[in-house]
Amino acid sequence: MAFQKPTGTQDLLPGSVEKWQFVEEKAREISRRFNYREIRTPMFEQTNLFVRSVGETTDVVEKEMYTFEDKGKRSMTLRPEGTAGVVRSYVENKLYGEPDVTKLYYIGPMFRYERPQAGRQRQFHQFGIEALGAVDPALDAEVIAFGYQFCRELGLKGVKVEINSVGNAASRAAYRQHLVDFLLPIKDTLTKESQARIERNPLRVLDSKDDQDKFGGAPSILDSLDEESRTHFEKVKQNLDAMGVEYTVNPRLVRGLDYYTLTAFEFKAEGIGAIDTIGGGGRYNGLVGDLGGPDQPGIGFGIGLERIQLILEHQGVELNEAKPLDVYMVALGEAAETEVTRQLFKLRQAGFSAERDYLGRKMKAQMKSADRFKARFTAILGEDELVRGEIALKNMETGEQRTVKLDQLVEELG
């Protein structure tokens, strides 16, 4: 029988995977500049970790998690997002004992059972950062500026930042009542899902894609912020202004996960139709304590790499593709085969990318392979050259060919 990849997944093939490598290398490079260190957590965790952190009434937990029972009768879930696992690791490994702010980044696959569409897969990939241990608004601004700069350096056009404050617990309690008062009179016009959420988690009602046309007169959470929340938000904006990061305040932005407090934000770019959101994040000051750790604040973001690739392609941004081969070695005759094998390994040890023929083809076919690999040089070794201890070296760009000593090939290519 013929097997096919599961629905909502994709094969990243040679030729396209190099574009992914470019994005990932940029993520690692800018993480180094902002002093974030890599963390790698398991791709599956105890289900309750996500229920407690992400929220029981979120779409992620209610509809989208890949949950299974292992052989020990434990409920496990493939990670649908990155923050919960990082915070779990932060608590379990007592990273909060470090004297400085703990700044981490991750790159890897996530899993959500969604209807596959452009930029949205069931196995998708995220680059994310988390900064734990400080409530300073300047750190919020740094995290936002990090994501903004990452998008800009990739070459994305029309990069925009939208920010909001979802307040502290007291502010959200006040806003919750104002929102319920607004929603109850229009309850019968909302979807069944939104109706159920009015009592359980009214902020999630604002996430409903089907009811957006009914929220025109909804109260703004910014009007419910207490002094602490308002001051924090103002300082975040001041720091963004100081860095020259352009942003728009969007009072409707609440994000789709329950752990957010105070600052929330999203990154957008010129996309394809409605597809313009690249990623986002926010502050989660209560999450570490909820997961069994000390009362430590945190903030972070997650950026979807599929979205990045889709928008880069749509915008016509050229990324670095596969690098050309340094040298392609051609062996003519059985005696030359062994020497080419030896020289090929020496070149690779010296740091050159090098290849040879393994299909027993004639010289013309081997030279065509050198062209397909976009080799900078072709090194041709026949039996006569072998006797003289020499090899022909051809510059594939200029066509110039010269003879060099076999034992000097590495130096000549350097």
Side-chain angles (χ1 to χ4, degrees), residues 23 147-160 267-271 276-279 303-304 307-319:
V23 172
Y148 174 79
Q149 189 66 18
F150 172 65
C151 295
R152 291 287 299 272
E153 290 191 21
L154 286 176
L156 286 169
K157 303 168 187 173
V159 179
K160 299 176 182 176
F267 304 110
K268 296 178 180 290
E270 295 173 3
D276 63 354
T277 301
I278 305 164
I303 288 179
R307 289 287 178 93
I308 289 278
Q309 294 291 344
L310 188 68
I311 295 176
L312 284 171
E313 181 178 354
H314 174 70
Q315 293 184 351
V317 179
E318 292 292 330
L319 298 184

PDB file of all heavy atoms in Angstrom, residues 23 147-160 267-271 276-279 303-304 307-319:
ATOM      1  N   VAL A  23      15.798  30.968   8.448  1.00  0.00           N
ATOM      2  CA  VAL A  23      14.957  31.602   9.469  1.00  0.00           C
ATOM      3  C   VAL A  23      15.391  31.158  10.866  1.00  0.00           C
ATOM      4  O   VAL A  23      15.489  31.974  11.793  1.00  0.00           O
ATOM      5  CB  VAL A  23      13.473  31.278   9.223  1.00  0.00           C
ATOM      6  CG1 VAL A  23      12.605  31.770  10.381  1.00  0.00           C
ATOM      7  CG2 VAL A  23      12.999  31.911   7.914  1.00  0.00           C
ATOM      8  N   GLY A 147      10.869  40.555  18.962  1.00  0.00           N
ATOM      9  CA  GLY A 147      10.059  39.978  17.890  1.00  0.00           C
ATOM     10  C   GLY A 147       9.957  40.892  16.689  1.00  0.00           C
ATOM     11  O   GLY A 147      10.003  40.449  15.533  1.00  0.00           O
ATOM     12  N   TYR A 148       9.824  42.185  16.937  1.00  0.00           N
ATOM     13  CA  TYR A 148       9.757  43.178  15.864  1.00  0.00           C
ATOM     14  C   TYR A 148      11.036  43.161  15.037  1.00  0.00           C
ATOM     15  O   TYR A 148      11.004  43.123  13.799  1.00  0.00           O
ATOM     16  CB  TYR A 148       9.524  44.548  16.491  1.00  0.00           C
ATOM     17  CG  TYR A 148       9.570  45.724  15.542  1.00  0.00           C
ATOM     18  CD1 TYR A 148       8.483  46.030  14.738  1.00  0.00           C
ATOM     19  CD2 TYR A 148      10.697  46.546  15.484  1.00  0.00           C
ATOM     20  CE1 TYR A 148       8.518  47.131  13.895  1.00  0.00           C
ATOM     21  CE2 TYR A 148      10.734  47.637  14.640  1.00  0.00           C
ATOM     22  CZ  TYR A 148       9.646  47.927  13.842  1.00  0.00           C
ATOM     23  OH  TYR A 148       9.684  49.023  12.993  1.00  0.00           O
ATOM     24  N   GLN A 149      12.185  43.147  15.710  1.00  0.00           N
ATOM     25  CA  GLN A 149      13.465  43.165  15.011  1.00  0.00           C
ATOM     26  C   GLN A 149      13.692  41.872  14.237  1.00  0.00           C
ATOM     27  O   GLN A 149      14.226  41.887  13.126  1.00  0.00           O
ATOM     28  CB  GLN A 149      14.602  43.397  16.013  1.00  0.00           C
ATOM     29  CG  GLN A 149      15.959  43.644  15.372  1.00  0.00           C
ATOM     30  CD  GLN A 149      16.008  44.941  14.584  1.00  0.00           C
ATOM     31  OE1 GLN A 149      15.166  45.828  14.762  1.00  0.00           O
ATOM     32  NE2 GLN A 149      16.973  45.061  13.692  1.00  0.00           N
ATOM     33  N   PHE A 150      13.287  40.751  14.816  1.00  0.00           N
ATOM     34  CA  PHE A 150      13.401  39.456  14.136  1.00  0.00           C
ATOM     35  C   PHE A 150      12.651  39.491  12.807  1.00  0.00           C
ATOM     36  O   PHE A 150      13.182  39.096  11.766  1.00  0.00           O
ATOM     37  CB  PHE A 150      12.853  38.359  15.051  1.00  0.00           C
ATOM     38  CG  PHE A 150      12.726  37.005  14.403  1.00  0.00           C
ATOM     39  CD1 PHE A 150      13.843  36.312  13.975  1.00  0.00           C
ATOM     40  CD2 PHE A 150      11.478  36.420  14.246  1.00  0.00           C
ATOM     41  CE1 PHE A 150      13.731  35.053  13.390  1.00  0.00           C
ATOM     42  CE2 PHE A 150      11.341  35.170  13.666  1.00  0.00           C
ATOM     43  CZ  PHE A 150      12.473  34.479  13.229  1.00  0.00           C
ATOM     44  N   CYS A 151      11.415  39.982  12.835  1.00  0.00           N
ATOM     45  CA  CYS A 151      10.616  40.047  11.614  1.00  0.00           C
ATOM     46  C   CYS A 151      11.233  40.992  10.595  1.00  0.00           C
ATOM     47  O   CYS A 151      11.270  40.698   9.391  1.00  0.00           O
ATOM     48  CB  CYS A 151       9.195  40.491  11.941  1.00  0.00           C
ATOM     49  SG  CYS A 151       8.264  39.328  12.962  1.00  0.00           S
ATOM     50  N   ARG A 152      11.739  42.122  11.064  1.00  0.00           N
ATOM     51  CA  ARG A 152      12.347  43.104  10.163  1.00  0.00           C
ATOM     52  C   ARG A 152      13.603  42.545   9.509  1.00  0.00           C
ATOM     53  O   ARG A 152      13.824  42.730   8.305  1.00  0.00           O
ATOM     54  CB  ARG A 152      12.686  44.379  10.939  1.00  0.00           C
ATOM     55  CG  ARG A 152      11.478  45.181  11.419  1.00  0.00           C
ATOM     56  CD  ARG A 152      10.777  45.908  10.280  1.00  0.00           C
ATOM     57  NE  ARG A 152      11.659  46.856   9.617  1.00  0.00           N
ATOM     58  CZ  ARG A 152      11.826  48.120  10.007  1.00  0.00           C
ATOM     59  NH1 ARG A 152      11.156  48.585  11.055  1.00  0.00           N
ATOM     60  NH2 ARG A 152      12.638  48.914   9.349  1.00  0.00           N
ATOM     61  N   GLU A 153      14.435  41.852  10.293  1.00  0.00           N
ATOM     62  CA  GLU A 153      15.702  41.354   9.745  1.00  0.00           C
ATOM     63  C   GLU A 153      15.494  40.190   8.778  1.00  0.00           C
ATOM     64  O   GLU A 153      16.359  39.921   7.945  1.00  0.00           O
ATOM     65  CB  GLU A 153      16.645  40.959  10.875  1.00  0.00           C
ATOM     66  CG  GLU A 153      17.174  42.160  11.644  1.00  0.00           C
ATOM     67  CD  GLU A 153      18.307  41.814  12.595  1.00  0.00           C
ATOM     68  OE1 GLU A 153      18.957  40.759  12.401  1.00  0.00           O
ATOM     69  OE2 GLU A 153      18.554  42.602  13.533  1.00  0.00           O
ATOM     70  N   LEU A 154      14.359  39.517   8.870  1.00  0.00           N
ATOM     71  CA  LEU A 154      14.050  38.481   7.888  1.00  0.00           C
ATOM     72  C   LEU A 154      13.668  39.088   6.540  1.00  0.00           C
ATOM     73  O   LEU A 154      13.650  38.385   5.526  1.00  0.00           O
ATOM     74  CB  LEU A 154      12.911  37.598   8.389  1.00  0.00           C
ATOM     75  CG  LEU A 154      13.247  36.601   9.489  1.00  0.00           C
ATOM     76  CD1 LEU A 154      11.980  35.884   9.946  1.00  0.00           C
ATOM     77  CD2 LEU A 154      14.280  35.584   9.021  1.00  0.00           C
ATOM     78  N   GLY A 155      13.347  40.367   6.552  1.00  0.00           N
ATOM     79  CA  GLY A 155      12.959  41.038   5.320  1.00  0.00           C
ATOM     80  C   GLY A 155      11.466  41.166   5.136  1.00  0.00           C
ATOM     81  O   GLY A 155      11.000  41.566   4.053  1.00  0.00           O
ATOM     82  N   LEU A 156      10.678  40.829   6.171  1.00  0.00           N
ATOM     83  CA  LEU A 156       9.233  40.969   6.071  1.00  0.00           C
ATOM     84  C   LEU A 156       8.853  42.436   5.868  1.00  0.00           C
ATOM     85  O   LEU A 156       9.427  43.330   6.483  1.00  0.00           O
ATOM     86  CB  LEU A 156       8.559  40.444   7.340  1.00  0.00           C
ATOM     87  CG  LEU A 156       8.515  38.919   7.502  1.00  0.00           C
ATOM     88  CD1 LEU A 156       8.081  38.550   8.905  1.00  0.00           C
ATOM     89  CD2 LEU A 156       7.566  38.307   6.484  1.00  0.00           C
ATOM     90  N   LYS A 157       7.875  42.654   5.021  1.00  0.00           N
ATOM     91  CA  LYS A 157       7.430  44.016   4.718  1.00  0.00           C
ATOM     92  C   LYS A 157       6.162  44.335   5.517  1.00  0.00           C
ATOM     93  O   LYS A 157       5.335  43.469   5.772  1.00  0.00           O
ATOM     94  CB  LYS A 157       7.153  44.153   3.230  1.00  0.00           C
ATOM     95  CG  LYS A 157       8.356  43.812   2.355  1.00  0.00           C
ATOM     96  CD  LYS A 157       7.956  43.687   0.897  1.00  0.00           C
ATOM     97  CE  LYS A 157       9.124  43.174   0.056  1.00  0.00           C
ATOM     98  NZ  LYS A 157       8.709  42.877  -1.332  1.00  0.00           N
ATOM     99  N   GLY A 158       6.028  45.610   5.878  1.00  0.00           N
ATOM    100  CA  GLY A 158       4.817  46.047   6.564  1.00  0.00           C
ATOM    101  C   GLY A 158       4.658  45.452   7.950  1.00  0.00           C
ATOM    102  O   GLY A 158       3.538  45.164   8.379  1.00  0.00           O
ATOM    103  N   VAL A 159       5.759  45.266   8.661  1.00  0.00           N
ATOM    104  CA  VAL A 159       5.688  44.691  10.004  1.00  0.00           C
ATOM    105  C   VAL A 159       5.012  45.680  10.952  1.00  0.00           C
ATOM    106  O   VAL A 159       5.388  46.848  11.017  1.00  0.00           O
ATOM    107  CB  VAL A 159       7.098  44.325  10.531  1.00  0.00           C
ATOM    108  CG1 VAL A 159       6.994  43.754  11.939  1.00  0.00           C
ATOM    109  CG2 VAL A 159       7.769  43.333   9.599  1.00  0.00           C
ATOM    110  N   LYS A 160       4.008  45.198  11.676  1.00  0.00           N
ATOM    111  CA  LYS A 160       3.267  46.037  12.616  1.00  0.00           C
ATOM    112  C   LYS A 160       3.187  45.339  13.969  1.00  0.00           C
ATOM    113  O   LYS A 160       3.170  44.113  14.046  1.00  0.00           O
ATOM    114  CB  LYS A 160       1.854  46.310  12.099  1.00  0.00           C
ATOM    115  CG  LYS A 160       1.811  47.051  10.770  1.00  0.00           C
ATOM    116  CD  LYS A 160       0.376  47.196  10.285  1.00  0.00           C
ATOM    117  CE  LYS A 160       0.323  47.888   8.918  1.00  0.00           C
ATOM    118  NZ  LYS A 160      -1.064  47.956   8.403  1.00  0.00           N
ATOM    119  N   PHE A 267       2.244  40.384  16.463  1.00  0.00           N
ATOM    120  CA  PHE A 267       3.048  40.850  15.334  1.00  0.00           C
ATOM    121  C   PHE A 267       2.276  40.566  14.051  1.00  0.00           C
ATOM    122  O   PHE A 267       1.783  39.458  13.851  1.00  0.00           O
ATOM    123  CB  PHE A 267       4.400  40.136  15.290  1.00  0.00           C
ATOM    124  CG  PHE A 267       5.205  40.274  16.556  1.00  0.00           C
ATOM    125  CD1 PHE A 267       5.403  39.190  17.394  1.00  0.00           C
ATOM    126  CD2 PHE A 267       5.752  41.491  16.916  1.00  0.00           C
ATOM    127  CE1 PHE A 267       6.139  39.310  18.556  1.00  0.00           C
ATOM    128  CE2 PHE A 267       6.487  41.628  18.082  1.00  0.00           C
ATOM    129  CZ  PHE A 267       6.678  40.534  18.900  1.00  0.00           C
ATOM    130  N   LYS A 268       2.222  41.542  13.178  1.00  0.00           N
ATOM    131  CA  LYS A 268       1.514  41.383  11.907  1.00  0.00           C
ATOM    132  C   LYS A 268       2.412  41.849  10.762  1.00  0.00           C
ATOM    133  O   LYS A 268       3.346  42.616  10.959  1.00  0.00           O
ATOM    134  CB  LYS A 268       0.214  42.194  11.907  1.00  0.00           C
ATOM    135  CG  LYS A 268      -0.807  41.728  12.953  1.00  0.00           C
ATOM    136  CD  LYS A 268      -2.046  42.619  12.933  1.00  0.00           C
ATOM    137  CE  LYS A 268      -3.073  42.166  13.958  1.00  0.00           C
ATOM    138  NZ  LYS A 268      -3.715  40.904  13.603  1.00  0.00           N
ATOM    139  N   ALA A 269       2.108  41.343   9.561  1.00  0.00           N
ATOM    140  CA  ALA A 269       2.816  41.776   8.357  1.00  0.00           C
ATOM    141  C   ALA A 269       1.841  41.723   7.192  1.00  0.00           C
ATOM    142  O   ALA A 269       0.730  41.193   7.325  1.00  0.00           O
ATOM    143  CB  ALA A 269       4.034  40.889   8.085  1.00  0.00           C
ATOM    144  N   GLU A 270       2.262  42.284   6.059  1.00  0.00           N
ATOM    145  CA  GLU A 270       1.405  42.254   4.878  1.00  0.00           C
ATOM    146  C   GLU A 270       1.271  40.813   4.416  1.00  0.00           C
ATOM    147  O   GLU A 270       2.194  40.231   3.871  1.00  0.00           O
ATOM    148  CB  GLU A 270       2.019  43.110   3.772  1.00  0.00           C
ATOM    149  CG  GLU A 270       2.102  44.587   4.112  1.00  0.00           C
ATOM    150  CD  GLU A 270       2.874  45.371   3.069  1.00  0.00           C
ATOM    151  OE1 GLU A 270       3.298  44.770   2.061  1.00  0.00           O
ATOM    152  OE2 GLU A 270       3.065  46.581   3.266  1.00  0.00           O
ATOM    153  N   GLY A 271       0.095  40.239   4.648  1.00  0.00           N
ATOM    154  CA  GLY A 271      -0.085  38.818   4.394  1.00  0.00           C
ATOM    155  C   GLY A 271      -0.945  38.517   3.193  1.00  0.00           C
ATOM    156  O   GLY A 271      -1.026  39.298   2.247  1.00  0.00           O
ATOM    157  N   ASP A 276      -2.416  37.588   8.321  1.00  0.00           N
ATOM    158  CA  ASP A 276      -1.395  38.606   8.506  1.00  0.00           C
ATOM    159  C   ASP A 276      -0.742  38.524   9.876  1.00  0.00           C
ATOM    160  O   ASP A 276       0.290  39.146  10.106  1.00  0.00           O
ATOM    161  CB  ASP A 276      -1.969  40.008   8.288  1.00  0.00           C
ATOM    162  CG  ASP A 276      -3.063  40.362   9.293  1.00  0.00           C
ATOM    163  OD1 ASP A 276      -3.464  39.486  10.083  1.00  0.00           O
ATOM    164  OD2 ASP A 276      -3.518  41.519   9.275  1.00  0.00           O
ATOM    165  N   THR A 277      -1.308  37.763  10.796  1.00  0.00           N
ATOM    166  CA  THR A 277      -0.725  37.623  12.126  1.00  0.00           C
ATOM    167  C   THR A 277       0.371  36.564  12.101  1.00  0.00           C
ATOM    168  O   THR A 277       0.134  35.425  11.707  1.00  0.00           O
ATOM    169  CB  THR A 277      -1.798  37.238  13.166  1.00  0.00           C
ATOM    170  OG1 THR A 277      -2.800  38.250  13.189  1.00  0.00           O
ATOM    171  CG2 THR A 277      -1.189  37.114  14.548  1.00  0.00           C
ATOM    172  N   ILE A 278       1.554  36.959  12.531  1.00  0.00           N
ATOM    173  CA  ILE A 278       2.704  36.058  12.534  1.00  0.00           C
ATOM    174  C   ILE A 278       2.831  35.354  13.879  1.00  0.00           C
ATOM    175  O   ILE A 278       3.240  34.200  13.963  1.00  0.00           O
ATOM    176  CB  ILE A 278       4.004  36.843  12.250  1.00  0.00           C
ATOM    177  CG1 ILE A 278       3.874  37.614  10.947  1.00  0.00           C
ATOM    178  CG2 ILE A 278       5.214  35.915  12.207  1.00  0.00           C
ATOM    179  CD1 ILE A 278       4.920  38.694  10.798  1.00  0.00           C
ATOM    180  N   GLY A 279       2.492  36.064  14.931  1.00  0.00           N
ATOM    181  CA  GLY A 279       2.618  35.500  16.268  1.00  0.00           C
ATOM    182  C   GLY A 279       2.296  36.557  17.301  1.00  0.00           C
ATOM    183  O   GLY A 279       1.853  37.668  16.968  1.00  0.00           O
ATOM    184  N   ILE A 303       6.165  32.732  17.711  1.00  0.00           N
ATOM    185  CA  ILE A 303       6.009  33.144  16.318  1.00  0.00           C
ATOM    186  C   ILE A 303       5.929  31.890  15.453  1.00  0.00           C
ATOM    187  O   ILE A 303       6.766  30.988  15.563  1.00  0.00           O
ATOM    188  CB  ILE A 303       7.180  34.036  15.876  1.00  0.00           C
ATOM    189  CG1 ILE A 303       7.067  35.406  16.549  1.00  0.00           C
ATOM    190  CG2 ILE A 303       7.210  34.203  14.357  1.00  0.00           C
ATOM    191  CD1 ILE A 303       8.189  36.368  16.208  1.00  0.00           C
ATOM    192  N   GLY A 304       4.907  31.827  14.595  1.00  0.00           N
ATOM    193  CA  GLY A 304       4.702  30.653  13.744  1.00  0.00           C
ATOM    194  C   GLY A 304       5.608  30.670  12.532  1.00  0.00           C
ATOM    195  O   GLY A 304       5.560  31.603  11.723  1.00  0.00           O
ATOM    196  N   ARG A 307       3.772  30.484   9.134  1.00  0.00           N
ATOM    197  CA  ARG A 307       3.265  31.805   8.740  1.00  0.00           C
ATOM    198  C   ARG A 307       4.380  32.667   8.165  1.00  0.00           C
ATOM    199  O   ARG A 307       4.199  33.370   7.166  1.00  0.00           O
ATOM    200  CB  ARG A 307       2.644  32.506   9.956  1.00  0.00           C
ATOM    201  CG  ARG A 307       1.325  31.898  10.425  1.00  0.00           C
ATOM    202  CD  ARG A 307       0.208  32.254   9.449  1.00  0.00           C
ATOM    203  NE  ARG A 307      -1.050  31.659   9.850  1.00  0.00           N
ATOM    204  CZ  ARG A 307      -1.953  32.277  10.607  1.00  0.00           C
ATOM    205  NH1 ARG A 307      -1.713  33.488  11.065  1.00  0.00           N
ATOM    206  NH2 ARG A 307      -3.083  31.686  10.901  1.00  0.00           N
ATOM    207  N   ILE A 308       5.537  32.618   8.812  1.00  0.00           N
ATOM    208  CA  ILE A 308       6.695  33.381   8.323  1.00  0.00           C
ATOM    209  C   ILE A 308       7.012  32.983   6.880  1.00  0.00           C
ATOM    210  O   ILE A 308       7.165  33.833   5.991  1.00  0.00           O
ATOM    211  CB  ILE A 308       7.924  33.127   9.223  1.00  0.00           C
ATOM    212  CG1 ILE A 308       7.764  33.797  10.588  1.00  0.00           C
ATOM    213  CG2 ILE A 308       9.213  33.585   8.536  1.00  0.00           C
ATOM    214  CD1 ILE A 308       8.114  35.256  10.635  1.00  0.00           C
ATOM    215  N   GLN A 309       7.112  31.677   6.628  1.00  0.00           N
ATOM    216  CA  GLN A 309       7.465  31.217   5.289  1.00  0.00           C
ATOM    217  C   GLN A 309       6.410  31.608   4.263  1.00  0.00           C
ATOM    218  O   GLN A 309       6.735  32.020   3.148  1.00  0.00           O
ATOM    219  CB  GLN A 309       7.645  29.686   5.309  1.00  0.00           C
ATOM    220  CG  GLN A 309       8.814  29.184   6.142  1.00  0.00           C
ATOM    221  CD  GLN A 309      10.160  29.535   5.528  1.00  0.00           C
ATOM    222  OE1 GLN A 309      10.264  29.889   4.357  1.00  0.00           O
ATOM    223  NE2 GLN A 309      11.209  29.417   6.320  1.00  0.00           N
ATOM    224  N   LEU A 310       5.141  31.468   4.649  1.00  0.00           N
ATOM    225  CA  LEU A 310       4.050  31.781   3.727  1.00  0.00           C
ATOM    226  C   LEU A 310       4.072  33.256   3.329  1.00  0.00           C
ATOM    227  O   LEU A 310       3.948  33.606   2.143  1.00  0.00           O
ATOM    228  CB  LEU A 310       2.714  31.432   4.380  1.00  0.00           C
ATOM    229  CG  LEU A 310       1.473  31.507   3.500  1.00  0.00           C
ATOM    230  CD1 LEU A 310       1.497  30.417   2.441  1.00  0.00           C
ATOM    231  CD2 LEU A 310       0.210  31.385   4.349  1.00  0.00           C
ATOM    232  N   ILE A 311       4.240  34.127   4.316  1.00  0.00           N
ATOM    233  CA  ILE A 311       4.218  35.566   4.031  1.00  0.00           C
ATOM    234  C   ILE A 311       5.483  35.994   3.292  1.00  0.00           C
ATOM    235  O   ILE A 311       5.430  36.834   2.383  1.00  0.00           O
ATOM    236  CB  ILE A 311       4.013  36.358   5.337  1.00  0.00           C
ATOM    237  CG1 ILE A 311       2.615  36.050   5.912  1.00  0.00           C
ATOM    238  CG2 ILE A 311       4.161  37.854   5.094  1.00  0.00           C
ATOM    239  CD1 ILE A 311       2.336  36.694   7.249  1.00  0.00           C
ATOM    240  N   LEU A 312       6.630  35.422   3.640  1.00  0.00           N
ATOM    241  CA  LEU A 312       7.861  35.729   2.902  1.00  0.00           C
ATOM    242  C   LEU A 312       7.709  35.375   1.428  1.00  0.00           C
ATOM    243  O   LEU A 312       8.099  36.142   0.534  1.00  0.00           O
ATOM    244  CB  LEU A 312       9.040  34.963   3.505  1.00  0.00           C
ATOM    245  CG  LEU A 312       9.615  35.494   4.822  1.00  0.00           C
ATOM    246  CD1 LEU A 312      10.619  34.499   5.395  1.00  0.00           C
ATOM    247  CD2 LEU A 312      10.279  36.849   4.627  1.00  0.00           C
ATOM    248  N   GLU A 313       7.112  34.209   1.170  1.00  0.00           N
ATOM    249  CA  GLU A 313       6.914  33.783  -0.218  1.00  0.00           C
ATOM    250  C   GLU A 313       5.938  34.724  -0.929  1.00  0.00           C
ATOM    251  O   GLU A 313       6.176  35.131  -2.075  1.00  0.00           O
ATOM    252  CB  GLU A 313       6.384  32.350  -0.251  1.00  0.00           C
ATOM    253  CG  GLU A 313       6.178  31.803  -1.644  1.00  0.00           C
ATOM    254  CD  GLU A 313       5.687  30.367  -1.656  1.00  0.00           C
ATOM    255  OE1 GLU A 313       5.604  29.748  -0.576  1.00  0.00           O
ATOM    256  OE2 GLU A 313       5.380  29.859  -2.757  1.00  0.00           O
ATOM    257  N   HIS A 314       4.850  35.068  -0.253  1.00  0.00           N
ATOM    258  CA  HIS A 314       3.846  35.956  -0.850  1.00  0.00           C
ATOM    259  C   HIS A 314       4.432  37.331  -1.150  1.00  0.00           C
ATOM    260  O   HIS A 314       4.096  37.944  -2.168  1.00  0.00           O
ATOM    261  CB  HIS A 314       2.658  36.091   0.106  1.00  0.00           C
ATOM    262  CG  HIS A 314       1.633  37.083  -0.355  1.00  0.00           C
ATOM    263  ND1 HIS A 314       0.813  36.868  -1.445  1.00  0.00           N
ATOM    264  CD2 HIS A 314       1.289  38.316   0.133  1.00  0.00           C
ATOM    265  CE1 HIS A 314       0.020  37.914  -1.610  1.00  0.00           C
ATOM    266  NE2 HIS A 314       0.289  38.804  -0.676  1.00  0.00           N
ATOM    267  N   GLN A 315       5.313  37.810  -0.269  1.00  0.00           N
ATOM    268  CA  GLN A 315       5.913  39.128  -0.462  1.00  0.00           C
ATOM    269  C   GLN A 315       7.089  39.107  -1.438  1.00  0.00           C
ATOM    270  O   GLN A 315       7.632  40.152  -1.775  1.00  0.00           O
ATOM    271  CB  GLN A 315       6.379  39.684   0.890  1.00  0.00           C
ATOM    272  CG  GLN A 315       5.240  40.002   1.852  1.00  0.00           C
ATOM    273  CD  GLN A 315       5.738  40.638   3.150  1.00  0.00           C
ATOM    274  OE1 GLN A 315       6.936  40.691   3.414  1.00  0.00           O
ATOM    275  NE2 GLN A 315       4.818  41.110   3.969  1.00  0.00           N
ATOM    276  N   GLY A 316       7.464  37.898  -1.880  1.00  0.00           N
ATOM    277  CA  GLY A 316       8.573  37.800  -2.823  1.00  0.00           C
ATOM    278  C   GLY A 316       9.934  38.037  -2.213  1.00  0.00           C
ATOM    279  O   GLY A 316      10.873  38.433  -2.920  1.00  0.00           O
ATOM    280  N   VAL A 317      10.059  37.796  -0.910  1.00  0.00           N
ATOM    281  CA  VAL A 317      11.340  37.984  -0.236  1.00  0.00           C
ATOM    282  C   VAL A 317      12.234  36.786  -0.525  1.00  0.00           C
ATOM    283  O   VAL A 317      11.858  35.643  -0.273  1.00  0.00           O
ATOM    284  CB  VAL A 317      11.155  38.141   1.290  1.00  0.00           C
ATOM    285  CG1 VAL A 317      12.505  38.301   1.979  1.00  0.00           C
ATOM    286  CG2 VAL A 317      10.258  39.338   1.587  1.00  0.00           C
ATOM    287  N   GLU A 318      13.411  37.035  -1.061  1.00  0.00           N
ATOM    288  CA  GLU A 318      14.343  35.968  -1.403  1.00  0.00           C
ATOM    289  C   GLU A 318      15.197  35.613  -0.180  1.00  0.00           C
ATOM    290  O   GLU A 318      15.876  36.481   0.378  1.00  0.00           O
ATOM    291  CB  GLU A 318      15.255  36.389  -2.560  1.00  0.00           C
ATOM    292  CG  GLU A 318      14.527  36.556  -3.884  1.00  0.00           C
ATOM    293  CD  GLU A 318      14.005  35.250  -4.444  1.00  0.00           C
ATOM    294  OE1 GLU A 318      14.621  34.206  -4.175  1.00  0.00           O
ATOM    295  OE2 GLU A 318      12.972  35.278  -5.140  1.00  0.00           O
ATOM    296  N   LEU A 319      15.145  34.356   0.214  1.00  0.00           N
ATOM    297  CA  LEU A 319      15.989  33.882   1.302  1.00  0.00           C
ATOM    298  C   LEU A 319      17.171  33.109   0.730  1.00  0.00           C
ATOM    299  O   LEU A 319      17.142  32.652  -0.414  1.00  0.00           O
ATOM    300  CB  LEU A 319      15.189  32.968   2.240  1.00  0.00           C
ATOM    301  CG  LEU A 319      13.994  33.592   2.964  1.00  0.00           C
ATOM    302  CD1 LEU A 319      13.389  32.585   3.915  1.00  0.00           C
ATOM    303  CD2 LEU A 319      14.411  34.841   3.729  1.00  0.00           C
TER     304      LEU A 319
END
